[in-house]
Amino acid sequence: MFNNLATAAGDIFTPLVIIYIIAGVLIGYIVGALPGMNRTTAIAVAMPFTFTMSPAAALSFLIGINKGGAAGAAVSAILLNVPGEPSAVVTTYDGYPMTRAGKAQKALKIALLASVAGDVFATIVLILLARPIARFAIGLGPIELAAILLFSITFIAAVSGESFLKAMIAGFLGLLLSAPGVDIETALPRMTFGFIQLYDGVPLLAVAIGTLALSEILVQIDAGWRGEYRYPRPPDDSGSEADRRLNFAEFVKISPAVLRGSLVGTWIGLLPGLGATLASFLAYTWVRRSSKNPETFGKGNPNGVAASESADNATVPAALIPVFAIGVPGSLSTALLMGAFMMHGLTPGPFLFKDSGDVVYAIYLGMILASVALLGVGIFGQRIFSLVVQIRESVILPVIVFLCVVGAYMESGGMFSVYLMLIFGFVGYFMKKFDYSFVTFVVGYVLGPMAELTLRQSLILSKSNPAVLLGHPIAILFLLLAVFSIWRFAIAGARSMQMERPTSEQDKKTQPETEEKT
Amino acid sequence: MTNYSQMTVFGHRFAMAIIGAAALALSIVAPAAQAAEWPTEPITIVVAYPAGGGTDSAIRAMTNILSEKLGQSILVKNVGGAGGGVAAAQVLKAKADGYTLLATNSTSLTLAPLVQKMPYKMSDFVNIAILGEFQNAMFANKDKPFNTLDELVAIAKKENREITFASQLAIDRLLMQYIAKERGFKLRSLPVSGGNGSVQAVLAGDVDLSFSGGSWAPIVAAGDAKALFAASYNRLKLAPNLVSMKDLGFPFGVTSHISLHAPAGTPNDVIKKLAAAFGPAVAGKIAQNVGEKRYMDMTFQGPEAADATMKKERETYEKILKVVPDAK
């Protein structure tokens, strides 16, 4: 191992490679920060440029884009309430309220630190435990995954929003969106209305950009019309010195949330297909549930930002675990990275360590360097990006709309997604206006297709005989947790139905602040 | 276009007639004139699958050599969906001028329109080249108590159970239903998504058999799975020791290729120029590297050979569909 490391260090610690890595992180960070753009596209576009690089430099560069992208998505989420990717939705919950309270700089710093911490944590797990963990992960078949997904859905739903009924409606709307497509068993089109573009399901990125990013623009335009905003907007970063800085005591305060986020992110990241969105939702929910004052979440609690961002970034290296160890990618961006491995003559999987150990260690070092670069890029980047909040809305809003359109177009390479994005922009606008839960909606449509696939696979495998579960203890565990979640959900639901009016009135009056004082 | 200020002098109808005539003349003259200096614009290759897949990485690995040979930049656009159907439908709408090409899995043209409602047919496209052949094979978990198809069928019959099968595409469903019918066993298919899904199903031991177009090779090489037979009629070029459908006594096997097409009506000279550029691109080091790692046989076939290959593939599917008419 140390021999490998020495050779690897020789490959990586050259000025050119270091510049590549910094460039990769920078590209990712900028792309992530732009709503509508995403890191997967950035990796695909950047890949041909890596042909001339050494394998280690190329992979570190591409992984750098991935890492930068995961962290960058927090920027627009915090500053503009516009999540660039579904996984940054959760960051808006507490990030944007912090910006409104003049703590944009602090929120950005927390997000960055949490991102880097989650990233480093998962990278270390990757380096030390890749092989055994990947073996374990691959052993989890559809039955376990279905149980984990069921649990996740109920767990996240249990903390959503103020209105139980509206949360349910939004959740089912989300699930409904995951219904169109070619049926996985019969191969017949289902609810596609004759659109061939819907054969693989509703393009999720278009829905995400529409409901998350475009709808926020519509809300802001609406507010502008009603004269609720002074024009031009006063700088939101007007807080005192203490509001901008992040001192050590505060850092200590958020560290449990970061640790939880990193754990959840690593765990979810290494399971095939679950993805960063689920990770950030789960981490947020977990941190909020275990908090002494859960009511402060959603109103500018730094722990919320920390949990979501650390989980989001931890999934990036974690998703590489199955790629390195067994050659099975867990997400779209890692599938792309795996493609890059192959273009450079590396075979991901069991032989990777044996055949190209030097390169693997060089990539490890490159990944660690990328984390360091992320910290640097983030610190300088957010100073520049935080100026965004001072730009007149008449300038920034059209730019975001433009990016939304481009982003939707690039996902599927056609106008269909753009129209869909526009429609869902209005759907999202009305959901915001009438206070429907975005959490259950996003969870519904992101996890819906996966939940359906694994559930139906489980039914086929078990021949619909529940006794099969006895052979799957992990599945039983998660199903029990799901039952527990539903029980809690029902109680919380019943309670919120009773007290709906008074609580929501109060909430509107007690804006942010609360967390800092406690 | 034509001089517009002059037209206003004449009557409206006359102007229209001139425009019409000019357009007609252009449309006749244009292909010939165009072909000589073609290409004068960047060329877009529409890859019918999301970025990162086999077809995509093969095409991306060729772009450097292509733009060198053609003297234009090459844009790769991923249009995933409906197993290649969305991209095909989109390319069909483009002008037949050779600036918009379709890179796809040949089965999206040869097989998909036969078994699914698709807004295009095979004859809507001309074949420019075959860029590679997927090395399709059936594989199973290393711990399964059988090593050949016959052993598996015998075990299933003895235990009076169905054979479970991870299915991801029309081609594997068709093949397995055909084999099941011929060998007289019952099939239970587990739908999975993509080659990774089928690998995972095998590694987790959930199914007896699984199909993939290359993802099987690394895990078989690592000893985590065993390959049972190649899905093609003849043996695979990259796995000559693996028995094929012919060895098993079947009159057919299925193949799928990375194929390159343009909308029907694209001038012949343009097709030739494209094929001339793709030849060296396929032979290039990066493309061969990708082929080796992804387990695709990157052997170039020009327009005529591609025509024959596509035709043969189509005929095979038609024949198999006669045996199992309700296969989906």
Side-chain angles (χ1 to χ4, degrees), chain B residues 131-184:
Chain B
L131 308 175
E133 185 181 339
F134 291 103
Q135 304 286 293
N136 298 319
M138 292 286 179
F139 62 112
N141 192 294
K142 66 170 188 316
D143 297 327
K144 295 284 174 190
F146 48 82
N147 290 312
T148 63
L149 176 67
D150 293 329
E151 283 173 28
L152 169 60
V153 173
I155 290 175
K157 282 186 179 161
K158 202 175 95 193
E159 292 174 3
N160 193 20
R161 67 172 177 97
E162 298 149 315
I163 288 178
T164 52
F165 165 64
S167 116
Q168 43 159 328
L169 299 162
I171 173 177
D172 61 55
R173 284 193 282 271
L174 187 66
L175 178 73
M176 277 314 285
Q177 288 180 19
Y178 169 69
I179 295 177
K181 176 138 193 182
E182 293 288 308
R183 293 285 155 105

Side-chain angles (χ1 to χ4, degrees), chain A residues 119-439:
Chain A
D119 188 77
V120 170
F121 180 88
T123 307
I124 292 169
V125 172
L126 165 70
I127 293 174
L128 298 179
L129 299 169
R131 304 241 32 196
I133 285 188
R135 288 275 142 198
F136 168 73
I138 201 77
L140 299 182
I143 295 177
E144 282 84 5
L145 285 181
I148 292 174
L149 280 167
L150 280 178
F151 160 70
S152 304
I153 291 173
T154 54
F155 184 69
I156 296 167
V159 292
S160 62
E162 282 134 34
S163 164
F164 174 69
L165 196 64
K166 284 181 176 175
M168 292 289 279
I169 293 174
F172 279 105
L173 189 64
L175 280 177
L176 190 66
L177 268 184
S178 68
V182 168
D183 185 276
I184 48 177
E185 260 180 273
T186 60
L188 291 173
R190 177 178 73 185
M191 281 174 73
T192 55
F193 305 102
F195 289 107
I196 193 172
Q197 289 92 339
L198 290 178
Y199 274 26
D200 284 350
V202 177
L204 289 186
L205 194 65
V207 176
I209 297 173
T211 49
L212 304 176
L214 187 65
S215 70
E216 179 58 29
I217 306 302
L218 294 175
V219 168
Q220 296 199 8
I221 291 171
D222 183 39
W225 261 330
R226 285 163 201 266
E228 282 171 26
Y229 281 11
R230 268 173 296 155
Y231 188 71
R233 193 155 40 135
D236 278 328
D237 201 21
S238 55
S240 62
E241 187 69 12
D243 279 348
R244 265 178 279 157
R245 285 254 173 88
L246 178 69
N247 63 38
F248 185 71
E250 285 169 314
F251 179 70
V252 172
K253 232 189 219 166
I254 59 161
S255 54
V258 171
L259 184 66
R260 287 199 169 111
S262 308
L263 281 172
V264 172
T266 309
W267 162 249
I268 295 297
L270 67 92
L271 293 175
L274 297 187
T277 309
L278 176 60
S280 58
F281 273 117
L282 275 181
Y284 182 82
T285 312
W286 189 22
V287 168
R288 178 174 155 171
R289 277 213 167 167
S290 52
S291 160
K292 282 192 200 102
N293 12 31
E295 71 284 351
T296 58
F297 281 77
K299 290 166 199 144
N301 189 329
N303 284 311
V305 176
S308 143
E309 277 308 302
S310 53
D312 184 7
N313 256 64
T315 57
V316 174
L320 286 172
I321 291 176
V323 172
F324 274 44
I326 42 183
V328 175
S331 67
L332 186 60
S333 54
T334 39
L336 265 174
L337 287 175
M338 201 169 123
F341 271 92
M342 293 170 168
M343 285 186 189
H344 286 280
L346 303 169
T347 313
F351 290 118
L352 184 62
F353 292 85
K354 218 191 292 168
D355 293 350
S356 7
D358 291 355
V359 182
V360 175
Y361 284 101
I363 294 172
Y364 283 164
L365 286 178
M367 288 176 72
I368 295 170
L369 264 186
S371 299
V372 178
L374 178 58
L375 198 60
V377 165
I379 286 171
F380 287 104
Q382 59 185 228
R383 282 208 191 134
I384 299 163
F385 276 119
S386 60
L387 298 177
V388 161
V389 283
Q390 294 171 23
I391 299 176
R392 300 158 67 112
E393 277 164 352
S394 52
V395 174
I396 196 80
L397 299 188
V399 171
I400 297 175
V401 172
F402 166 75
L403 290 171
C404 289
V405 171
V406 174
Y409 184 88
M410 276 167 77
E411 183 206 13
S412 64
M415 284 305 286
F416 184 81
S417 284
V418 177
Y419 299 136
L420 204 68
M421 190 274 294
L422 293 174
I423 294 169
F424 278 95
F426 284 94
V427 171
Y429 169 77
F430 285 109
M431 284 180 67
K432 277 194 176 139
K433 277 273 150 191
F434 296 118
D435 233 2
Y436 281 86
S437 163
F438 266 78
V439 185

Side-chain angles (χ1 to χ4, degrees), chain A residues 44 51 135 138 142 184 187 196-197 199-200 272 329 336 339 342-343 345 347 350-351 409 412-414 453 457 460-461 463, chain B residues 51-52 57 60 64 77 79 81-82 85-86 90 116-117 119 188 190-192 196 200 204 206 221-222 224 290 293-294:
Chain A
F51 286 158
R135 288 275 142 198
I138 201 77
I184 48 177
I196 193 172
Q197 289 92 339
Y199 274 26
D200 284 350
L336 265 174
M342 293 170 168
M343 285 186 189
T347 313
F351 290 118
Y409 184 88
S412 64
L453 178 71
Q457 285 176 332
I460 291 172
L461 282 176
K463 301 187 180 169
Chain B
S57 35
R60 284 181 194 272
N64 277 357
K77 181 171 158 189
V79 180
V86 177
Q90 204 183 91
Q116 247 179 352
K117 204 180 144 209
R188 188 181 185 85
L190 176 76
V192 294
N196 297 320
Q200 214 182 314
D206 291 331
D224 288 333
V290 169
K293 298 296 165 189
R294 290 243 170 199

Side-chain angles (χ1 to χ4, degrees), chain B:
Chain B
M1 274 272 299
T2 350
N3 192 335
Y4 209 79
S5 61
Q6 270 185 348
M7 278 181 204
T8 51
V9 180
F10 302 104
H12 177 71
R13 224 171 250 189
F14 186 59
M16 288 311 286
I18 289 183
I19 292 176
L24 194 69
L26 267 178
S27 69
I28 297 165
V29 176
Q34 238 178 28
E37 64 237 41
W38 190 97
T40 54
E41 291 170 32
I43 294 163
T44 305
I45 303 178
V46 178
V47 170
Y49 305 94
T55 309
D56 177 68
S57 35
I59 294 293
R60 284 181 194 272
M62 294 173 197
T63 48
N64 277 357
I65 299 183
L66 285 178
S67 57
E68 201 179 286
K69 296 276 168 201
L70 292 168
Q72 285 291 338
S73 45
I74 306 292
L75 310 174
V76 178
K77 181 171 158 189
N78 297 92
V79 180
V86 177
Q90 204 183 91
V91 171
L92 201 56
K93 281 192 208 137
K95 270 192 217 140
D97 54 8
Y99 288 115
T100 312
L101 312 176
L102 172 69
T104 188
N105 182 318
S106 56
T107 53
S108 69
L109 299 185
T110 54
L111 176 59
L114 291 177
V115 291
Q116 247 179 352
K117 204 180 144 209
M118 288 290 179
Y120 59 87
K121 49 190 184 303
M122 194 172 152
S123 55
D124 290 338
F125 296 91
V126 286
N127 308 316
I128 302 169
I130 298 280
L131 308 175
E133 185 181 339
F134 291 103
Q135 304 286 293
N136 298 319
M138 292 286 179
F139 62 112
N141 192 294
K142 66 170 188 316
D143 297 327
K144 295 284 174 190
F146 48 82
N147 290 312
T148 63
L149 176 67
D150 293 329
E151 283 173 28
L152 169 60
V153 173
I155 290 175
K157 282 186 179 161
K158 202 175 95 193
E159 292 174 3
N160 193 20
R161 67 172 177 97
E162 298 149 315
I163 288 178
T164 52
F165 165 64
S167 116
Q168 43 159 328
L169 299 162
I171 173 177
D172 61 55
R173 284 193 282 271
L174 187 66
L175 178 73
M176 277 314 285
Q177 288 180 19
Y178 169 69
I179 295 177
K181 176 138 193 182
E182 293 288 308
R183 293 285 155 105
F185 59 85
K186 279 202 207 89
L187 197 62
R188 188 181 185 85
S189 42
L190 176 76
V192 294
S193 83
N196 297 320
S198 64
V199 166
Q200 214 182 314
V202 161
L203 289 185
D206 291 331
V207 290
D208 291 320
L209 266 186
S210 197
F211 170 96
S212 97
S215 322
W216 58 272
I219 62 164
V220 167
D224 288 333
K226 49 195 173 195
L228 260 59
F229 60 96
S232 52
Y233 180 63
N234 290 311
R235 291 196 175 196
L236 296 173
K237 205 166 169 188
L238 298 187
N241 294 326
L242 187 61
V243 294
S244 65
M245 290 291 281
K246 185 183 176 186
D247 299 313
L248 293 172
F250 293 102
F252 315 111
V254 295
T255 51
S256 54
H257 297 87
I258 302 178
S259 55
L260 186 73
H261 311 271
T266 305
N268 248 335
D269 298 0
V270 171
I271 303 278
K272 272 189 197 135
K273 275 193 182 173
L274 279 167
F278 268 93
V282 172
K285 197 180 144 224
I286 308 175
Q288 288 299 321
N289 233 345
V290 169
E292 189 189 319
K293 298 296 165 189
R294 290 243 170 199
Y295 231 65
M296 301 180 292
D297 167 24
M298 301 299 287
T299 307
F300 177 78
Q301 296 178 19
E304 292 82 24
D307 282 343
T309 307
M310 294 290 287
K311 192 165 161 250
K312 201 180 151 219
E313 215 178 280
R314 170 66 156 226
E315 284 167 3
T316 310
Y317 290 127
E318 280 168 349
K319 282 178 196 157
I320 296 181
L321 275 168
K322 267 184 200 143
V323 184
V324 275
D326 32 302
K328 287 270 156 38

